[in-house]
Amino acid sequence: MYDEFTGTGSAYLRTAAARVTRPRRYLMCPPTFFDVTYSINPWMELNKPIDVDLAMTQWESLHDCYREFGHEIELIDPVEGLPDMVFSANGATVVDGVVLLAKFRYHERMGEVAAYREWFAAREYKQRHEPQFINEGEGDYLVTQRWLLGGTGFRTDRHSHREAQALFGRTVISLTLVDPRFYHLDTALAVLDDDEIMYYPAAFSPGSRAMLRELYPDAVLATDADAEVFGVNAVSDGRHVVLPQAATHLISALRGRGFEPVGVDISELLKAGGGVKCCTLELHG
Ligand code: ARG
């Protein structure tokens, strides 16, 4: 389908030694009340049993893995009756310490907003913005060195991109998602380093694919098999890329670029259509 070795940029030639971990700050929410009690994406099958203890064990290993790499982890208290709250990436977008709170598409998740609002208000975040338009936080907003990549098509309203651009003073590159299985931008694209990304082309409209090709000609491309195990829903600290262990093709492609892929098992959370990145809200700057 494509040749991952055609990359010509200097990024491609970087070796493992040149990949540097930049310490990060993440906000996570333990899956204490995790469940699938409604269905708002194609992964959520109501009659599949959920093992909360297993979800907790998998989440804890993700949490411990970040700690091991030296990252700072903040926690938000889970709220009973909000089974998707473990997916903290959706709670807000934080860029240069400025917070754009989420406004969820479906009523089932709207109750999460109050918890995130309170969390940010109780901390050093002085600039908190109540959104006018629907946006599902860093599920649909990904920060690169130069831009904010904004997803739309299923959850975040495209008008929110203008709102985010004005608030953060950064150009938002609008990308349209077309496959309902990859309903948030972070299920189809991950930022690996300053201006390096990986993505799953088939999840995007033809226009957005053309845009991504132009902006990121050396991007790592995910295969169907990678995308189906949520392999693109990954978190990179510039050196380690934490992703589902089942994403074997991506794991070797990333290694080929000098990253250190770290495979984890997050299968229980995938039953709600969530993965590694969904559980991780990066508190940028
Ligand atoms: N069940 C959740 C939903 O459909 C999963 C959210 C996943 N989060 C993410 N950042 N992709 O809203």
Side-chain angles (χ1 to χ4, degrees):
M1 201 170 99
Y2 70 94
D3 179 0
E4 69 188 48
F5 297 110
T6 53
T8 49
S10 57
Y12 169 68
L13 299 170
R14 264 185 229 172
T15 61
R19 297 284 180 193
V20 183
T21 304
R22 207 158 24 88
R24 313 281 171 145
R25 211 167 151 231
Y26 298 131
L27 175 58
M28 299 182 77
C29 179
T32 316
F33 304 110
F34 176 65
D35 203 348
V36 177
T37 56
Y38 50 82
S39 179
I40 55 172
N41 72 54
W43 305 85
M44 301 176 90
E45 286 177 43
L46 290 178
N47 37 24
K48 258 199 207 156
I50 299 293
D51 183 338
V52 190
D53 293 338
L54 179 57
M56 186 62 86
T57 309
Q58 294 179 344
W59 179 89
E60 277 166 357
S61 55
L62 177 64
H63 171 275
D64 294 351
C65 164
Y66 293 145
R67 288 291 281 271
E68 210 176 290
F69 299 145
H71 305 307
E72 202 182 318
I73 314 283
E74 299 281 353
L75 294 178
I76 181 167
D77 288 335
V79 177
E80 197 167 0
L82 296 174
D84 272 336
M85 208 176 147
V86 58
F87 303 120
S88 58
N90 300 123
T93 303
V94 184
V95 184
D96 302 328
V98 176
V99 181
L100 173 63
L101 288 163
K103 182 168 177 164
F104 286 90
R105 164 86 41 198
Y106 297 111
H107 71 86
E108 287 89 341
R109 296 197 65 184
M110 287 177 186
E112 296 178 35
V113 174
Y116 285 96
R117 182 186 292 121
E118 212 176 284
W119 191 91
F120 285 104
R123 284 162 184 81
E124 72 275 25
Y125 295 92
K126 299 280 172 280
Q127 292 188 65
R128 303 182 305 276
H129 182 83
E130 292 288 339
Q132 185 184 351
F133 297 103
I134 290 174
N135 84 83
E136 297 204 347
E138 291 181 16
D140 273 322
Y141 282 119
L142 294 172
V143 182
T144 70
Q145 190 176 46
R146 302 167 62 184
W147 296 303
L148 197 54
L149 305 180
T152 187
F154 295 101
R155 300 292 181 90
T156 294
D157 187 322
R158 66 189 169 80
H159 296 300
S160 166
H161 294 176
R162 248 194 300 115
E163 190 178 13
Q165 179 163 281
L167 177 68
F168 297 121
R170 271 181 182 244
T171 304
V172 174
I173 309 286
S174 285
L175 299 165
T176 303
L177 298 160
V178 295
D179 182 334
R181 292 173 306 157
F182 306 107
Y183 54 92
H184 277 141
L185 182 62
D186 72 357
T187 66
L189 189 152
V191 178
L192 298 171
D193 204 359
D194 296 339
D195 272 314
E196 279 179 80
I197 65 164
M198 63 178 176
Y199 68 98
Y200 176 52
F204 294 91
S205 68
S208 297
R209 274 208 295 270
M211 172 91 84
L212 287 168
R213 266 198 309 273
E214 195 172 320
L215 296 179
Y216 299 105
D218 295 333
V220 175
L221 301 183
T223 62
D224 294 348
D226 290 325
E228 275 152 26
V229 294
F230 249 49
V232 191
N233 194 249
V235 171
S236 173
D237 64 15
R239 179 183 182 112
H240 310 99
V241 183
V242 186
L243 77 172
Q245 62 195 16
T248 50
H249 161 268
L250 275 183
I251 288 176
S252 60
L254 289 166
R255 203 169 276 135
R257 302 283 180 114
F259 289 101
E260 226 175 273
V262 180
V264 293
D265 179 7
I266 207 88
S267 51
E268 205 55 21
L269 293 162
L270 187 53
K271 292 180 179 168
V276 171
K277 173 64 182 91
C278 303
C279 295
T280 316
L281 174 67
E282 185 167 349
L283 301 163
H284 294 273

